């Protein structure tokens, strides 16, 4: 009987359309949190999420809602991130729920991640409730957005909820639609246990804590469980739900979303996508899991203090528990020492991981410029995967190099189509198609090298379309390109961590921009530091960091005490993100100079 009163759903949308704010309103309307404890974007529990105002992690919460029919329903709500870099979170959550709330901004309309997320929901056979949010905005045009939802997506939007999460408008109607339009979960309580793991975190007391959706059967403390893919076995120590704080339960049953702890020490035993069953009454087969994510970009992570290499490894292992898409393996650099080549789903993901490592684990890191994975074919017919430009074999040993391409979909009002095409062509894009989504908006498709997308395509796209364009992309395989490796020499020494791979046509111009940038970034010393860019032994660009004339440190001694303290402090903080390479101090920004140099 309880099962018919459960509704499991995710909230999905393009970034900033209001998912987290709608979650807040649902928590309030259902009195899940007291007024005193309520704060904006409550489910964004990470400091980083709150500061940046973005959702990085999915978060699930159980709320109780008394409907107009007088019955009380249990909602399991999963708030998800909107940014393309975190779509793995969205896809994992959608496999665990029965319905989706699709939020569309009443002024912005349907955007690239609206489409991407709605297709994920459709792939999972989810019932979808459209919500048009921010109807309070002066630029809101709910009828137009209603048409867009019908024309661009093909969803019936005649009963779309008209909402202003900011002002609390439309929330009662949304809650009713959740009850009446979304299906209750199915699943047999008597059947052998089958539970899907869709997220995990680490707790120093309880071990790995798994977020699960129970599909069949029941799970309770004391049960012996087996992970069907890894084969590991454990005894359940605790089950419960989040509301939003953890609350212990006596059992979880088919249809429930909750957490389970079993003193699990290793994430390898219990990966997201694995199925939990009962050792004494096992299910015949595992549930379909998840496609593993392929990282889009790689960069090297190095502790500024070499002695903290092991701390960095531990931190990455712990973080991996909370971020199933993170990948890393040890690498060494002549310039930077011991570190890890780390794979990310995009630049925002990279930025977030670096910041979480520094904050949550108190590390100071140097991150090298992101690189895609190239395929280098050697003269003896081998294929070498190169995700660190420094590892590219010598030009004399290479027959050809291939790079990853994506099929990029750019949604844009028609007046910007020309601008978008010009930009895509300048980034080595190859036109695929263009289709009108509705009267004003066009979906332009280009094949573009992933490396160009990563560098500055998105920023340029946003600025040249006044923010109107949105971008989504999928991998589209490898293609041969005319690529070369450019090395950077400081004071005559090659710095491996600064090497980059670039199309031959752009090598010279990019090398010039980078040597000029490095000249500004590298601190002056009491001797001259030549900066050179080279292809093989051929120098293609150069600049020089001049020696300083005056002794800068003398200022510290002559200044007033307050100013001196400030200067010393500034120097100390600056030091943290620097690495000595030979006699030259190289700050963190230098390693990123290759970005935005196109
Ligand atoms: P998310 O990225 O989809 O989770 O979006 P958020 O919930 O974080 O909201 C993004 C921004 O839009 C925040 O600044 C919200 O305060 C604002 N916002 C959300 N809902 C509304 C609304 O109904 N009206 C207005 N004017 N602003 C809103
Ligand atoms: Mg959010």
């Amino acid at each position: 009987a309880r099962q018919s009163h459960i509704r499991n759903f995710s909230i999905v949308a393009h970034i900033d359309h209001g998912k987290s704010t709608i979650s807040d309103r649902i928590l309030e309307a259902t009195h899940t949190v007291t007024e005193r404890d309520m704060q904006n974007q409550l489910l964004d529990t990470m400091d980083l999420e709150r500061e940046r105002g973005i959702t990085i992690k999915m978060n699930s919460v159980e709320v109780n809602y008394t409907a107009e029919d007088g019955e009380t329903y249990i909602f399991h709500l999963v708030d998800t991130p909107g940014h393309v870099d975190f779509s793995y979170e969205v896809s994992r959550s959608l496999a665990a729920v029965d319905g989706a709330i699709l939020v569309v901004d009443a002024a912005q309309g349907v955007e690239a991640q609206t489409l991407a997320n709605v297709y994920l929901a459709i792939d999972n056979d989810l019932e979808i409730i459209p919500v048009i949010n921010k109807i309070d905005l002066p630029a809101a045009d709910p009828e137009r957005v209603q048409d867009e939802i019908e024309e661009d997506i093909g969803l019936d939007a005649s009963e779309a909820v008209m909402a202003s999460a900011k002002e609390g408008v439309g929330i009662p109607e949304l809650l009713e639609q959740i009850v009446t339009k979304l299906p209750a979960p199915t699943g047999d309580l008597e059947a052998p246990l089958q539970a899907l793991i869709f997220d995990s975190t680490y707790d120093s007391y309880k071990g790995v804590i798994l977020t699960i959706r129970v599909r069949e059967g029941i799970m309770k403390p004391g049960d012996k469980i087996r992970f069907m893919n890894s084969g590991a076995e454990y005894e359940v120590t605790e089950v419960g739900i989040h509301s939003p704080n953890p609350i212990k339960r006596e059992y979880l049953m088919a249809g429930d979303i909750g957490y389970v702890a079993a003193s699990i020490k290793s994430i390898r035993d219990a990966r997201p996508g694995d199925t939990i069953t009962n050792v004494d009454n096992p299910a015949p087969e595992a549930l379909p899991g998840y496609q593993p994510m392929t990282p889009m970009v790689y960069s090297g992570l190095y502790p500024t203090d070499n002695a903290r290499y092991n701390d960095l490894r531990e931190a990455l292992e712990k973080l991996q528990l909370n971020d199933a898409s993170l990948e890393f393996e040890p690498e060494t650099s002549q310039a930077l020492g011991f570190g890890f080549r780390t794979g990310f789903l995009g630049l925002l993901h990279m930025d977030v991981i670096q910041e979480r490592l520094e904050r949550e684990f108190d590390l100071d890191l140097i991150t090298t410029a992101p690189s895609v994975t190239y395929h280098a074919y050697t003269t003896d017919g081998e294929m070498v995967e190169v995700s660190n430009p420094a590892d590219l074999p010598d030009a004399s040993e290479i027959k050809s190099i291939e790079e990853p391409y994506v099929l990029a979909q750019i949604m844009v009002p028609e007046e910007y189509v020309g601008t978008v095409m010009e930009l895509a062509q300048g980034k080595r894009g190859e036109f695929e198609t263009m289709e009108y989504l509705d009267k004003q908006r066009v979906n332009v498709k280009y094949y573009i090298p992933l490396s160009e997308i990563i560098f500055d395509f998105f920023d340029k796209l946003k600025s040249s379309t006044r923010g109107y364009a949105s971008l989504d992309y999928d991998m589209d395989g490898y293609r041969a390109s005319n690529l070369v490796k450019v090395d950077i020499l400081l004071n005559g020494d090659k710095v491996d961590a600064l090497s980059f791979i670039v199309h031959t046509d752009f090598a010279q111009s990019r090398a010039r921009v980078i040597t000029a940038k490095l000249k500004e970034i590298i601190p002056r010393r009491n001797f001259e530091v030549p900066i050179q860019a080279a292809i093989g032994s051929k120098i293609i660009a150069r600049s020089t960091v001049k020696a300083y004339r005056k002794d800068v440190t003398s200022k510290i001694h002559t200044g007033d005490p307050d100013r001196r303290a400030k200067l010393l402090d500034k120097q100390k903080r600056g030091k943290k993100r620097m690495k000595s390479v030979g006699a030259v101090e190289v700050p963190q920004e230098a390693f990123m100079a290759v970005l935005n140099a196109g």
Side-chain angles (χ1 to χ4, degrees), residues 2-3 6-10 58-63 74-79 92-99 185 195-199 210-215 219 239-243 247 249 251-260:
R2 181 152 82 87
Q3 223 178 25
I6 297 177
R7 298 291 182 272
N8 296 312
F9 56 91
S10 274
M58 65 168 120
N59 272 297
S60 53
V61 59
E62 181 174 304
V63 310
I74 301 161
F75 290 174
H76 294 290
L77 168 165
V78 187
D79 184 22
R92 292 204 323 277
S93 82
L94 291 179
V97 295
D98 309 299
L196 175 72
I197 305 172
F198 66 96
D199 201 11
L210 305 169
T211 313
I212 56 164
R213 162 69 193 266
V214 185
R215 289 278 173 200
M219 183 183 329
V239 299
I241 55 109
H242 287 98
S243 187
I247 297 174
R249 284 282 158 82
Y251 62 91
L252 293 177
M253 62 166 207
D256 277 337
I257 287 177
Y259 70 84
V260 53

Side-chain angles (χ1 to χ4, degrees), residues 392-413:
L392 191 73
D394 244 27
S396 61
E397 291 166 30
I398 295 178
K399 217 167 62 198
S400 62
I401 307 176
E402 290 180 354
E403 65 179 325
Y405 267 68
V406 298
L407 178 58
Q409 306 205 39
I410 302 148
M411 288 179 60
V412 73

Side-chain angles (χ1 to χ4, degrees), residues 16 18-21 41 44 53-55 79-82:
D16 269 353
K19 293 175 295 294
S20 297
T21 311
Q41 276 96 14
D44 289 342
I54 55 166
T55 306
D79 184 22
T80 61

Side-chain angles (χ1 to χ4, degrees), residues 519-531:
K519 178 185 153 191
E520 303 302 319
I521 294 169
I522 291 174
R524 290 183 171 200
R525 309 300 309 266
N526 50 14
F527 52 89
E528 231 179 53
V529 179
I531 300 171

Side-chain angles (χ1 to χ4, degrees), residues 13-22 41 44 53-55 79-80 133-137 163-167:
H14 192 81
I15 193 158
D16 269 353
H17 283 201
K19 293 175 295 294
S20 297
T21 311
I22 287 185
Q41 276 96 14
D44 289 342
I54 55 166
T55 306
D79 184 22
T80 61
N133 187 36
K134 307 199 190 183
I135 55 167
D136 60 286
L137 288 177
S164 163
K166 189 177 168 193
E167 293 172 355

